[in-house]
Amino acid sequence: MIQLDKEKFRGKDFISLNDFSADEINHMIDVALTLKSEKKAGIPHPLLPGKTLAMIFTKSSTRTRVSFEVGIYQLGGTGLFLSSRDIQIGRGEPIQDTSRVLSRMVDGIMIRTFSHQEVLDLARYSSIPVINGLSDYLHPTQVLADLMTIQEYKGKVKGLKLTYIGDGNNVANSLLIGGSKMGMQVVIASPSGYQPVPEIMKIAEQNAAESGGSAKVVEDPLTAAQDADIIYTDVWASMGQEEESQIRKKAFAGYQINAEMLRVAHPEAIVMHCLPAHRGEEITDEVMEGPQSVVFEEAENRLHAHKAIMALVM
Ligand code: CP
Ligand code: NVA
């Protein structure tokens, strides 16, 4: 039977991993791992009977959409998929009005959108928990599932070296925040002009000072990959940056996880990617399908991690 620390979590938004302590993140990982093993054993866990999660999407999604919708169902509740094209947000209804209306009808809101401010505004006006399913700035549900995956494969998180190769984007930002909170050595290798913003580095450095971890940004990917326990990458052009993709292909040439990169990493390093992947760009097909890749386990863990978030905050 799962022990949920509901008193600490109930009613809280899940917008950034920085809003949680290392202990709280560990609790979420523990709950996710327990939910995973119960699911595999066929033990039902209807922790949210009759509850409804509204899921607002202004961007595409496979993993986030399916995992939240299936996850709330497995917890005994219902998910409502709301494309911004179909609801009044798409016609200009303010987010603060949408937020107050949904607060009167459902029990939680998950939003995937462009502007991080929109996520913050939604949370500010809502009386129910808001979960950030990705903004241009952060992707915290992804990184919770990633930390869970690292815990599963490495038996620990603290002290491990995580090297992220590529764009200093939403995923890199959340890895910096989450990894530094948990005492990891996070190294980001990005070309100049595409590195994480100083505001994120400041948060990560503060976290690292408290946790005993470290956070740094470098330009050379091969040096960054040296002895890494985890090698992570993401697409060179994120959603909304499609028209920059040619320029980005040039800027990121060399920022690819390939066999050469794996040779300098720890021999038992695991390879992670939030997906969707562009094989032949940020990762080779060979590495993605190779024995060190855990990308599909990582994707599966979105389901278990999101169930843990919902079970705790809703
Ligand atoms: N990794 C991730 O968030 O995938 P989706 O865009 O498919 O949700
Ligand atoms: N950085 C990517 C992540 C997709 C899950 C994007 O924002 O498109």
Side-chain angles (χ1 to χ4, degrees), residues 22-33:
D23 281 350
E24 288 169 338
I25 294 171
N26 270 322
H27 182 60
M28 290 188 266
I29 295 171
D30 284 346
V31 171
L33 289 168

Side-chain angles (χ1 to χ4, degrees), residues 59 112 134 139 169-171 234-235 237-239 274-276:
K59 284 176 169 172
R112 163 168 290 198
L134 178 147
H139 197 3
N169 60 16
N170 43 11
V171 172
D234 184 15
V235 289
S238 284
M239 289 181 275
C274 58
L275 305 181

Side-chain angles (χ1 to χ4, degrees), residues 2-314:
I2 300 169
Q3 294 302 318
L4 294 177
D5 193 351
K6 284 250 19 165
E7 252 170 57
K8 262 206 190 120
F9 287 88
R10 204 181 168 148
K12 270 194 100 164
D13 299 317
F14 187 89
I15 292 179
S16 166
L17 286 171
N18 218 42
D19 302 333
F20 298 90
S21 67
D23 281 350
E24 288 169 338
I25 294 171
N26 270 322
H27 182 60
M28 290 188 266
I29 295 171
D30 284 346
V31 171
L33 289 168
T34 309
L35 288 170
K36 181 173 183 175
S37 55
E38 288 196 351
K39 183 78 188 75
K40 305 275 176 200
I43 303 167
H45 34 246
L47 298 167
L48 297 176
K51 299 253 173 151
T52 305
L53 177 78
M55 309 188 300
I56 304 173
F57 282 89
T58 72
K59 284 176 169 172
S60 305
S61 171
T62 299
R63 281 143 287 269
T64 308
R65 175 177 175 180
V66 175
S67 56
F68 271 104
E69 192 159 343
V70 170
I72 185 78
Y73 174 72
Q74 290 179 3
L75 293 170
T78 307
L80 269 184
F81 173 71
L82 305 172
S83 160
S84 62
R85 275 196 296 274
D86 304 327
I87 59 172
Q88 298 285 9
I89 282 182
R91 295 184 55 250
E93 182 168 22
I95 198 82
Q96 54 268 44
D97 294 356
T98 307
S99 179
R100 284 175 287 183
V101 171
L102 290 178
S103 291
R104 287 163 185 261
M105 297 185 185
V106 302
D107 306 286
I109 309 171
M110 195 284 300
I111 180 165
R112 163 168 290 198
T113 193
F114 290 87
S115 147
H116 191 66
Q117 190 57 48
E118 200 174 320
V119 181
L120 296 173
D121 289 344
L122 184 71
R124 180 163 163 228
Y125 288 94
S126 86
S127 56
I128 55 176
V130 167
I131 300 169
N132 177 6
L134 178 147
S135 67
D136 281 353
Y137 190 54
L138 297 175
H139 197 3
T141 63
Q142 175 70 52
V143 171
L144 182 67
D146 296 340
L147 293 169
M148 170 193 179
T149 308
I150 294 165
Q151 176 68 40
E152 265 185 316
Y153 278 86
K154 294 284 169 197
K156 63 174 185 177
V157 172
K158 196 176 167 76
L160 296 180
K161 176 173 176 182
L162 183 151
T163 297
Y164 172 97
I165 312 267
D167 189 20
N169 60 16
N170 43 11
V171 172
N173 288 347
S174 282
L175 284 169
L176 274 163
I177 291 176
S180 61
K181 267 256 155 159
M182 304 306 284
M184 301 184 85
Q185 297 166 45
V186 186
V187 182
I188 307 286
S190 310
S192 152
Y194 297 94
Q195 297 183 339
V197 292
E199 182 189 53
I200 289 286
M201 292 316 296
K202 204 173 148 202
I203 298 171
E205 281 157 14
Q206 269 165 8
N207 287 347
E210 280 167 35
S211 67
S214 61
K216 66 175 176 184
V217 179
V218 298
E219 270 193 56
D220 179 35
L222 261 190
T223 317
Q226 209 91 42
D227 300 321
D229 299 292
I230 300 111
I231 302 262
Y232 198 120
T233 193
D234 184 15
V235 289
W236 292 341
S238 284
M239 289 181 275
Q241 298 171 333
E242 289 77 8
E243 71 283 9
E244 291 173 34
S245 65
Q246 287 313 315
I247 297 175
R248 284 172 169 268
K249 264 186 200 162
K250 284 199 190 113
F252 288 104
Y255 289 81
Q256 182 190 60
I257 304 190
N258 51 33
E260 188 195 356
M261 193 83 68
L262 278 192
R263 264 195 294 277
V264 302
H266 190 286
E268 281 168 26
I270 53 170
V271 173
M272 301 181 74
H273 190 313
C274 58
L275 305 181
H278 289 177
R279 292 160 199 246
E281 292 186 15
E282 75 277 2
I283 190 165
T284 59
D285 185 53
E286 180 195 18
V287 168
M288 184 138 159
E289 299 294 345
Q292 287 168 272
S293 166
V294 300
V295 300
F296 295 108
E297 289 77 10
E298 178 186 3
E300 179 192 324
N301 282 342
R302 299 294 299 288
L303 170 67
H304 311 296
H306 299 173
K307 284 167 73 179
I309 298 168
M310 290 188 282
L312 284 162
V313 303
M314 283 173 67

